Amino acid sequence: MYSMVIFILDDINYCHDVLNAWEDMGIVGVTMLDSSGLGRVRNAGARDDLPLMPSLSDIFKSSETQHRTLLTVVDSEEQIDELVKATESVIGSLDEPNTGFLFVTPVTRVYGRSKRDQI
């Protein structure tokens, strides 16, 4: 049975290392999204780094910390366990604050995944 692994990485500086660890264990087809949590957005509300006459570029430059959300589909419980272990080998225990949030959900159907891309 297929499962989708969703991992929200707190520190984007670890993104390439996490992706390399996943790739080393045979994970292919990872989708990456830039994301930010509600708490981060709320805390970034008052900005004191804008010039007196800001341009649109200045306004849209964000000093808030971004996350990376990584999504992949795996086909076994063993791969989930190995993926968690590989992830924690890079960022440390997911039980520690400011590391990330990983969850797994069942996938009932898969389309467009070629035999060559199968894990």
Side-chain angles (χ1 to χ4, degrees):
M1 179 170 181
Y2 290 106
S3 297
M4 176 172 279
V5 176
I6 298 102
F7 175 49
I8 303 165
L9 176 62
D10 192 65
D11 185 344
I12 64 173
N13 293 314
Y14 289 112
C15 189
H16 288 289
D17 293 334
V18 169
L19 291 171
N20 288 336
W22 288 13
E23 190 174 43
D24 289 347
M25 60 166 283
I27 298 294
V28 295
V30 178
T31 298
M32 294 181 297
L33 305 170
D34 289 332
S35 57
S36 187
L38 179 60
R40 300 274 170 109
V41 171
R42 283 188 176 154
N43 290 335
R47 292 187 53 193
D48 60 0
D49 62 332
L50 291 175
L52 183 60
M53 297 294 291
S55 67
L56 282 177
S57 174
D58 292 326
I59 292 171
F60 289 118
K61 282 182 191 170
S62 176
S63 62
E64 74 186 53
T65 303
Q66 294 292 315
H67 301 292
R68 287 283 190 281
T69 299
L70 308 177
L71 306 117
T72 193
V73 175
V74 298
D75 61 4
S76 71
E77 290 290 320
E78 293 78 23
Q79 283 184 313
I80 295 168
D81 293 339
E82 191 177 340
L83 188 141
V84 171
K85 182 187 264 186
T87 302
E88 290 186 324
S89 75
V90 173
I91 65 164
S93 172
L94 286 163
D95 292 329
E96 294 299 317
N98 304 314
T99 53
F101 180 69
L102 188 146
F103 63 99
V104 180
T105 185
V107 175
T108 58
R109 296 182 187 198
V110 174
Y111 301 97
R113 186 176 171 142
S114 70
K115 293 283 185 195
R116 150 184 86 74
D117 290 339
Q118 296 237 347
I119 300 167

